[in-house]
Every structure is written in structure tokens, then in C-alpha cells.
Amino acid sequence: MEKIKLRLYQLTLILSLISLMLTLLSSGKQREFFYIAIYASIIGLVFEYKKITLRPFSIALPILLIGLLNLGWYMVYEYHSEGLNTYSDYLGASKKLILASILIFYLDRFKHYVNQTDFNKYFLFAAGAGFVLATGYGLWQASQGMGRVEMAINRATVSAYVYSVLSLAFVYSLYLQKNIKLYITAGFTILISYFVILLTGTRAAMGLYLLLAIVLTLYHFRRIHLKSSMIFICIVAGIIIVSYKPLISPKIKQTQIEVEKYQEGHDSTSLGARFSMWTVGIQNGLAHPLGQSMEDRALWTQRYITNGHSHLAASLKYIKVHLHNEFIEKYSLQGLPGLAILFFFYSSMTIYAFKKRNGLLLTTMLLLILYGLTDVILLSSEALIFFMTLFALSTSFSQTKR
């Protein structure tokens, strides 16, 4: 029996690592391996039922709560008007979150089945292979003349979010090997990654990636060697100088123009539409503190804009999709309960990462929170599967404070 339990855990772990590896190469295969890993974890929990306890705290709990919240909101506000819509983003996200919480709980609770040193090597291989495949794919797309590389995800912004986190996961796994040559490899990985992120044209990732790479490095090593830091800064400066005119400068000018246009009352730009969406989203939340349906949100917003707020008209283009801000999206549809559970999710995961000295989980959570200020990550199928898989695998890096 013990051998079966061990093999089930190893199978679940391998399937999760493959899903992580294929994230930016094949969204379909990523999803297939993710679900098979979940089914294996359910079977594993059946065999382990005598050892299942709810203590100590598991990050599976806040993820489960987010999934249940989405499901509850859907059944209350959406189901009665349209029946069971299997194409609903919220229904799909709730299913993935609830099932992912099972996978996370299983991999976390029974991680003793795999030696830590061995796990570090497995993760290094999977993250490294995923990074190399994604980077090669992105560079190939750029060579074919694609304006914004997107790899296997047909949205460049989401690809940039996922790629930046995958890159830092690989960097973290290199740091864990405690090898000078691999430290140098980590430095080159950061540089190559930043160049690929520039090719995606995603402003949030362009602005945050290097900052979080520094945070991860400082958090892991607790100190920085002056000579290696100066070399790294010089190389980064070189990349920025070379890329500034063709890749960075247009984005800065675009941002300046869009802000100026919005101040003049024109919101039909990328940033302008976001500003309008955030404004109407907050107003929706204030008017419906216990939540509302997406249809009601669209109707209320239409009336709000008609009644003296025509400068926010661009928000109507996206009101039936999402509001490009994780917090405001929750507040506008799920009211104060949605906002409270989202804050619990972010805070509990981040505090857990600090307590367990888990650099990978901490960096991932910080990027998820920061990207959530300009987009809605927890509704994107590919990004959601990626983050949930990474959360499940990151539990093996948790440590006990001395």
C-alpha cells in the first residue's frame, strides 16, 4: 500500500511539472496535464484519508474560498437568467480554483514522499525546460515579424505575465543549487527574459520584472556582492540603451499621450479606457455592496454614463468582459464579500510565504498582486492554471523559521 501511495504522489508531481513546462508552448497540453494531475491527487487523497488533517494552515484554503465565492456568485446572480453557461469565465475559473485547491493540498501535505534535494532538481529541469521553450518560441515569433510576441497564449499581456513569473521561478531554482556557474546562468536568464518581455510590449511586465528579480535575489541571499551587482547593472543598462529607441521609448510616449488625452476628456485609449473602467467599477461597487450580475452591471453603467458621465464612455467596450483590475472587478460584481475574500487570499498567501521563507511563493504573489492592478489574472484560463500549478509546486520550498 505504501508503494502505491508513493507512486501516486510521484505521478501527480510529474504531471504538475509537465503542465508547468508546457505553459507557453501549448495551452491545450498544459490544461490536459493539469487536470490529469488533479485526478491523480484525488485518488491519492482517497488512499491517504486516514492522514488528512486541516492543520497546519495550507494555502489551499484561500484558493478554495475564492473558487467557492465565484461559484456562489454565479449561482445567485447568473444562473437564474441564463441557466448553466459552461463558457462563463467565472464558472470556469471557479471550477479550476476548487480543483486546484485539492492538488495544492495534496502536494503540500504529502511532500515528504520526495526528498527535498531531488525535488529541487526536478523543479529546476521543468522550469528550465519551460523557460527555454518559451524563450525560443518568443524569439522565433519576433523573427517572423510579429509585432508583440505572445507564444502559446493569444494575448501578449497574459503571455508577458506568465513568462515573467516562469523566468523568476527558473532563476529561483538556479539559486537553490548554490553553484557559482548557475548564479551566472541566473543573471543571463534575467537579461534574456527582460529582452523577451520588451518584445511582448506589455508595460506592466516591463516595469516590474527587473524590480521583482532584485527583490527575489535580495530575499534569497540576504546580501549582494558589489562586483557582481555592478556587472549586472552595466549589462542591464546596455540592454535598455539598445532597446530604448525601438521598444521602450514608444511605450513611454504612448503612455504620456494617453494620460494627456484622458485629462482632456478623451478615454478611447488603452490607459484611458482603464481609468474609465476603474471609475465606473468603483461606482458600481458603491451602488451594489452585496453584488450584482454582469448584465445588471452593464445596464447600471450605461445609465450612469448617460446621466452626465459621458467622458467614461470607453468603459462600455469592456464592461461585459472585465474591468482590468482584480480588486475593482471583484468589488463591482461581488461587492464587499468578494473584496474581503480577495484581500484574505492575497494577505494570507503573502504572510505564509514570509513565515515559511518561501522566496518563490513570495515573488509570485507580489507579481500577481501588482499585475492585478491593471488586469484580471484570476479569470484567464492559461494564467490561472499556471499560477495554481506553481502554487502547488512552491509548497515544497516552504521552510520553518529558525
Side-chain angles (χ1 to χ4, degrees), residues 113-166:
Y113 279 128
V114 177
N115 177 275
Q116 185 65 53
T117 303
D118 290 338
F119 177 82
N120 290 353
K121 291 178 181 178
Y122 301 152
F123 188 84
L124 173 66
F125 175 80
F131 171 77
V132 170
L133 291 170
T135 301
Y137 197 2
L139 293 175
W140 177 80
Q141 288 181 334
S143 71
Q144 298 302 303
M146 183 173 284
R148 296 178 65 184
V149 303
E150 55 190 32
M151 289 158 267
I153 304 174
N154 61 1
R155 297 177 303 286
T157 51
V158 177
S159 295
Y161 302 150
V162 171
Y163 180 81
S164 63
V165 177
L166 177 63

Side-chain angles (χ1 to χ4, degrees), residues 27 38 91 101 152 190 267 284 296 346 371:
S27 297
I38 290 171
L91 185 61
S101 69
I190 292 172
D267 65 341
N284 267 282
D296 288 341
Y346 284 141
Y371 287 152

Side-chain angles (χ1 to χ4, degrees), residues 34 38 41 45 58-65 95-107 388:
F34 172 72
I38 290 171
S41 69
L45 285 173
S58 172
I59 60 173
L61 174 60
I63 291 168
L64 175 63
L65 289 178
K95 177 183 70 173
K96 292 180 181 69
L97 287 163
I98 292 170
L99 290 174
S101 69
I102 299 172
L103 174 66
I104 294 168
F105 182 83
Y106 178 64
L107 288 182
M388 293 303 112

Side-chain angles (χ1 to χ4, degrees), residues 35-50:
Y35 281 120
I36 297 172
I38 290 171
Y39 301 146
S41 69
I42 293 172
I43 297 172
L45 285 173
V46 171
F47 278 93
E48 302 281 4
Y49 75 97
K50 291 183 179 179

